[in-house]
Amino acid sequence: MNILITGGCGFVGSNIALKLKSDYSDFNIFVLDNLSRRGAELSLKEFKNAGIEFKHCDIRNQEDFNELGEFDLIIDASAEPSVLAGLDSTSGITKILNINLFGTVNILNFAAKNKAKVIFLSTSRVYSIKSLLSIKLEENDSRFEISDHQDIDGITKSGISENFSTEGHRSVYGASKLCGELLIDEYREFYNLDVIVNRCSVISGPKQMGKIDQGVTVLWVAKHFWSQSLKYIGFNGSGKQVRDVIHIDDLYDLVNMQINDFQLFSKGFFNIGGSMDSSFSLRELTKVCEEVTGNKINISAQKENRVADIPLFVSDIKKVEITSGWKPKMGVTDIVEDIFHWLRENEDELISILK
């Protein structure tokens, strides 16, 4: 099988590429990346040693696709993933749309031309911020929790399902990915394109270059590892905002399953995350980081919310569980421990990037 992975030097793309090549030595794995993100270049040596072919390429340039061969499957892991990007300037909007929308069009056109299947990694940020803010919550000592009784569809104690509203604003990033999903419907209908859409929640694990607007789990572990300060931002500086997190290995297991039984997943879309079982508030994440690293750091409070902040997002993954039996294996502590060991083993290489 010939597989193309866009954004292949990023955290998600590189992990999937290396794991696929390890599991299927006879697969031809080809990765594209423009190496714009700091740390992306660290994957190149691993690719060479594994027999994975790399091409410096930008999905925004249609001409770059003209130089590629034929592929059976494309895994689209390329994106500008920051929720905050584009919210303070129109130039940021242009960059996001060029990557997440027009880049997606180039990928879909290439897939249609090659009759290649596509696994599209979308985001939980396609859901409406207005609706997310209308979820009834309760507050305990360490986190916000979902109340038993709700006035809107798609929300239960298990989290946010695929029936939750996408109507209204959601961030430029979320809008760009939702536009990609809508285009996929057109390609399915008019070009007979086979596409799987995974709406991913927070993904984490080794090799993620976390920073303040993305990769919060790695950021939190790294700050504890190097004994640097952090800040609880928004919601009165309580640190009680909640997310679910999925380890990259669990996401890979799902992608592997999808490759081997594509038609099982190829209609509609799926929420993919850690679910309530692997969720944390920042306050709870701090406690886990303290226990794993042995370090306690200063964490200040900023009461004011940032634009597009939400108090809670936890994926309800019942649909994908019922469809396939897939369920994440790794919890929050497992993920933090794995990141900690990676930092410790590669400290000299990572200190200039993550510290």
Side-chain angles (χ1 to χ4, degrees):
M1 181 179 287
N2 295 327
I3 298 178
L4 175 67
I5 302 177
T6 62
C9 289
F11 162 58
V12 173
S14 63
N15 272 283
I16 290 176
L18 290 164
K19 292 177 190 302
L20 276 175
K21 192 62 178 180
S22 177
D23 287 348
Y24 304 97
S25 59
D26 57 331
F27 282 11
N28 297 313
I29 310 295
F30 196 105
V31 301
L32 304 182
D33 205 289
N34 64 5
L35 299 178
S36 62
R37 185 178 174 90
R38 195 176 183 191
E41 70 283 354
L42 298 179
S43 299
L44 298 182
K45 184 177 179 180
E46 289 184 279
F47 289 161
K48 185 176 181 180
N49 292 338
I52 295 171
E53 189 170 352
F54 166 74
K55 182 174 179 59
H56 191 279
C57 178
D58 196 316
I59 63 167
R60 292 171 290 187
N61 299 328
Q62 184 177 354
E63 296 79 9
D64 287 359
F65 288 88
N66 296 335
E67 303 175 11
L68 304 178
E70 295 184 354
F71 294 92
D72 304 297
L73 172 70
I74 300 170
I75 301 173
D76 181 16
S78 56
E80 167 51 65
S82 172
V83 173
L84 298 179
L87 299 182
D88 58 354
S89 71
T90 54
S91 61
I93 293 176
T94 301
K95 179 182 178 182
I96 289 176
L97 293 181
N98 280 336
I99 297 171
N100 295 355
L101 180 54
F102 299 118
T104 297
V105 170
N106 288 333
I107 292 167
L108 294 175
N109 283 340
F110 181 73
K113 179 181 177 182
N114 280 271
K115 295 181 171 55
K117 296 179 172 66
V118 178
I119 296 177
F120 181 69
L121 299 182
S122 190
T123 174
S124 60
R125 275 295 189 165
V126 300
Y127 296 110
S128 161
I129 287 178
K130 181 179 179 181
S131 296
L132 289 169
L133 291 176
S134 69
I135 295 172
K136 293 182 179 179
L137 301 175
E138 297 172 0
E139 184 176 351
N140 65 25
D141 290 340
S142 66
R143 64 158 61 192
F144 296 120
E145 293 186 330
I146 300 169
S147 299
D148 290 325
H149 303 290
Q150 301 291 333
D151 298 326
I152 53 179
D153 295 330
I155 175 71
T156 67
K157 296 287 282 188
S158 297
I160 287 92
S161 76
E162 292 85 354
N163 294 326
F164 198 83
S165 176
T166 58
E167 295 297 321
H169 69 284
R170 63 196 55 77
S171 79
V172 179
Y173 163 59
S176 68
K177 298 299 281 187
L178 183 59
C179 285
E181 290 188 18
L182 293 173
L183 284 172
I184 283 169
D185 285 339
E186 306 304 312
Y187 279 81
R188 280 171 169 160
E189 178 67 24
F190 298 111
Y191 297 97
N192 296 315
L193 196 63
D194 288 328
V195 187
I196 294 171
V197 176
N198 295 322
R199 289 179 174 174
C200 299
S201 199
V202 175
I203 311 166
S204 198
K207 297 180 66 178
Q208 187 176 37
M209 304 303 164
K211 53 185 183 178
I212 192 65
D213 58 345
Q214 52 190 278
V216 63
T217 316
V218 169
L219 172 69
W220 231 252
V221 181
K223 293 297 185 183
H224 281 82
F225 180 79
W226 281 298
S227 296
Q228 295 181 301
S229 61
L230 278 167
K231 184 184 291 186
Y232 295 138
I233 300 176
F235 308 101
N236 291 316
S238 66
K240 295 183 180 181
Q241 55 265 55
V242 175
R243 299 293 185 275
D244 64 319
V245 60
I246 182 175
H247 192 283
I248 183 61
D249 288 355
D250 282 322
L251 177 61
Y252 168 73
D253 287 345
L254 175 67
V255 170
N256 189 14
M257 187 182 294
Q258 291 174 335
I259 291 171
N260 285 285
D261 196 354
F262 200 93
Q263 294 306 315
L264 184 66
F265 298 87
S266 62
K267 300 298 181 184
F269 43 83
F270 297 90
N271 282 356
I272 307 299
S275 76
M276 200 63 73
D277 292 338
S278 183
S279 65
F280 61 77
S281 70
L282 292 182
R283 186 176 292 274
E284 292 166 348
L285 182 59
T286 296
K287 184 177 180 181
V288 176
C289 289
E290 289 174 351
E291 293 171 349
V292 171
T293 67
N295 295 331
K296 190 170 184 177
I297 64 175
N298 176 61
I299 302 183
S300 58
Q302 176 182 313
K303 293 186 176 182
E304 297 78 18
N305 292 359
R306 295 175 302 182
V307 62
D309 272 351
I310 53 176
L312 180 144
F313 191 97
V314 177
S315 296
D316 182 343
I317 60 172
K318 286 191 185 73
K319 180 180 178 181
V320 70
E321 283 188 70
I322 293 170
T323 298
S324 66
W326 173 87
K327 188 175 182 179
K329 300 172 184 175
M330 300 184 73
V332 175
T333 300
D334 300 318
I335 294 169
V336 170
E337 288 177 343
D338 206 17
I339 294 168
F340 170 70
H341 294 312
W342 169 67
L343 292 173
R344 189 169 59 183
E345 292 168 5
N346 300 277
E347 182 174 2
D348 291 343
E349 191 173 44
L350 296 172
I351 191 169
S352 62
I353 300 173
L354 289 173
K355 185 174 179 180

